[in-house]
Structures are given as C-alpha cells and as structure tokens.
Amino acid sequence: MSSLRTDDDSWDIATSVGSTAVMVAAARAAETGRDAPLIQDPYAKVLVAGAGTGVWEFMLDDSFADKVAQADPEAAAILEHMGSYQAVRTHFFDAFFADAVAAGIGQVVILASGLDSRAYRLAWPDGTKVFEIDQPKVLDYKSATLARHGVAPSATRLEVPVDLRHDWPAALVDAGFQTGAPTAWLAEGLLMYLPADAQDRLFADVTRLSAPGSRVAVETVGVQAQDRREMMRERFQRIAAQFGMEDAVDVGDLMYHDENRADVTDWLNEHGWTASSVTSREEMQRLGRWVLPDAADQRAFSDFVVGERH
C-alpha cells in the first residue's frame, strides 16, 4: 500500500497525485519538441509552465539527460525509457480515440483526466462530447490556463469535478452523459493510484454505464518486486540529491502496490466486454522506442488494454 495516500486525500495541480499530471505533461512537451515525434501536444508546455517550480523543469531541460548519463548511465537509460513510454502510451490511446469516433462513437469519457489535452488537440467530429472527470482544482487549472492563452476545445468539453472515489457516475449523468449512447472510455495513468477494490468498483460502474458498442481503453499497473522498487528509489534519490531536485515527488509513494489487483483484460472479458491487450514493451519495440535490456522483467511494465461492450 502507499505510505502517503489516505482514503479522503485530495490535491491540486502541484501536490500529491496532481503533480504527476504535470510530469506527464512535461514528458509530452519534451516529445513534441523532438525530431520526428510520435505525438503532437502543442499545449503541454503551456500547462507545465503555469504549474510553478518542480521536477518537471528538469524534464524540459535538454542538457539534463546528458548530465545524468555522465553520473549514472543506467539511470539515464531508465529516464529515456520513461519519456519514451509516455510518448508511446499517448500515441496508443490517441489511436484508440481515432478508431472509436471513426466507428461513430460521439461520447467520450476521460477518467482522471489530469492535464490531458485531447479535448483540445485531437480532431474530433462535429458534435463529439468529451467528459473530463478529475479533482475540481485540477480541472479549473487546465481550463483557466488554456483559456488565458486563447486555446479553445476542438470538441464539446464538459467538466465533471468529482473524486473518482465518490459518486462520479451520478455527477457524470448530471453533466449530460447519455447512458443509452455508446461511449469511448479511457483509464490512462489512473489504476496505480487506486486500491484493488476501487479498481473493481470503477470498472463495474463503467460497465453499468456503457451501452452496447461502447469501447474502453486502459493502462494496467505493472508489478515490481519490493527489492526492485527500493533499488530504483535509492538510485533516483541519489540523482535528485546530486542535481538539486530536493522537492522531487517519489511517485512510488503515491501508488497502491496491491498484489490482489485483478487482471484488467480478464475482468472485462468476464463482465460483458470483449477485451485484448498488448504489452507496453511490444508497443515500444514496434515504434522503435525500447532502450532497456531484453532481460528486463516484463511484469514491471504495463499492458495497454482495449475492449468493446457486448
């Protein structure tokens, strides 16, 4: 279990789980600035810039990776892997939405949307509704920041300011969600911040709200042995101390390491969906972004799951 999480905790964009949204946006901004990027997120850097001082500033420093490589080449490879993983993950779920709307789905729900800018940056068909569920302060920050920069959504964007541990289905329906319409759901960068029982409740609610023909896409939680987690923690603590990253959040402390967590693909297939998965390693290798040794433990990395409601 996480040492920093409680059942009633909350956060804004610069604290706790909220700060991880800024780090993910920084990874998307860095990818966008690469030669031949996998994704284009023109709003990520704007969202990061307004979030104040944090570890994300190092992620956008082009010289930082070279400095880490000189101090710890293996840590530098892991950092490169983490950035590439975010790009590949984003690329995969962008394609999921493109396929869903091409199939005629006009209702989208992004669970724990954070600083996801898909409602602004993707080319949505006219009339598409994108519901974003997250903590009120996180949604307020994103919409206000982009509005100040003259950025408007490319779909009908509807905020649902509610904690996913509360009665989010009722809040979603109150925001205009149509239970009889097929929906494209996304749970990206979410499940690791939920206990196993909360994950089950989440997918039970998604299933209950999903009309036939609905689709779901999910990033699963990788499983690392405790000794491996501690080794990684110590390594990055040394890097943080060396480069003055005293306020760096240890993301591992925010996660729930629950050995009883259900396999998402199996759960969906047993509850009215037809689901399949691809490992993140396979997807990274397919796109030429795998930099870790082939012997790396696959269990430590996530799967990308897609499913369709019967």
Side-chain angles (χ1 to χ4, degrees), residues 3 5 27 70 88 93 95 163 217 220 241 255 299 308:
S3 61
R5 303 296 309 285
Q70 293 174 11
V88 169
F93 293 125
D163 192 309
T220 69
M255 297 179 180
R299 295 173 302 169
E308 184 169 356

Side-chain angles (χ1 to χ4, degrees), residues 79-162:
L79 288 175
E80 181 183 351
H81 169 86
M82 292 167 64
S84 287
Y85 173 82
Q86 296 295 338
V88 169
R89 180 181 82 169
T90 302
H91 181 272
F92 183 91
F93 293 125
D94 282 359
F96 163 78
F97 280 129
D99 290 343
V101 296
I105 294 177
Q107 186 168 249
V108 169
V109 179
I110 302 177
L111 300 160
S113 59
L115 297 185
D116 185 311
S117 64
R118 290 185 175 96
Y120 296 85
R121 65 178 179 82
L122 295 186
W124 301 101
D126 290 344
T128 304
K129 293 182 178 180
V130 178
F131 295 86
E132 294 192 15
I133 304 178
D134 211 320
Q135 296 269 354
K137 292 179 180 178
V138 174
L139 293 174
D140 286 347
Y141 170 78
K142 177 165 57 179
S143 57
T145 300
L146 293 179
R148 282 198 304 272
H149 287 81
V151 180
S154 53
T156 299
R157 177 176 176 268
L158 299 153
E159 294 186 354
V160 186
V162 62

Side-chain angles (χ1 to χ4, degrees), residues 259-275:
E259 296 179 357
N260 297 318
R261 190 180 299 276
D263 180 279
V264 174
T265 306
D266 290 345
W267 192 100
L268 291 171
N269 281 323
E270 293 166 1
H271 291 83
W273 301 79
T274 298

Side-chain angles (χ1 to χ4, degrees), residues 45-106:
K45 196 168 186 178
V46 168
L47 291 167
V48 172
T53 299
V55 66
W56 42 84
E57 295 171 296
F58 293 89
M59 297 170 65
L60 293 175
D61 180 356
D62 292 337
S63 66
F64 179 63
D66 291 337
K67 294 174 183 176
V68 174
Q70 293 174 11
D72 187 337
E74 186 177 349
I78 294 170
L79 288 175
E80 181 183 351
H81 169 86
M82 292 167 64
S84 287
Y85 173 82
Q86 296 295 338
V88 169
R89 180 181 82 169
T90 302
H91 181 272
F92 183 91
F93 293 125
D94 282 359
F96 163 78
F97 280 129
D99 290 343
V101 296
I105 294 177

